[in-house]
Amino acid sequence: VTGASFVVFNGALKTSSGFLAKSSIVEDGLMVQITPETMESLRQALRDKKDFKITCGKMDAGDLKEYVDICWVENEEKTNKG
């Protein structure tokens, strides 16, 4: 689990890169590089206020994956107050 002050979603990752998605720490935030198709799905999920999961890592890495979960919550008191 990583706490971040901000999140940047970059929708320019090419499918030919061999990655499903890439996540990296940038200063005190998180940058997630995703394909244009995943970006469109993310945008739709945000419009619909639906949870969304991004699987990061190489396509052929087996079980060694990282996940970026975007979750809508009812009670904001249990979330990060930063």
Side-chain angles (χ1 to χ4, degrees), residues 15-67:
T15 308
S16 61
S17 70
F19 284 91
L20 298 165
K22 293 167 75 173
S23 64
S24 54
I25 306 275
V26 180
E27 295 181 16
D28 60 342
L30 179 69
M31 180 171 67
V32 185
Q33 298 175 345
I34 56 179
T35 62
E37 297 80 18
T38 304
M39 178 64 88
E40 186 53 41
S41 297
L42 172 60
R43 286 181 180 151
Q44 190 60 51
L46 291 172
R47 281 187 216 108
D48 297 341
K49 295 185 178 179
K50 304 266 183 186
D51 293 351
F52 193 78
K53 183 178 217 169
I54 299 170
T55 304
C56 300
K58 288 202 166 251
M59 290 183 188
D60 59 357
D63 290 340
L64 298 173
K65 302 264 190 287
E66 295 177 0
Y67 300 95

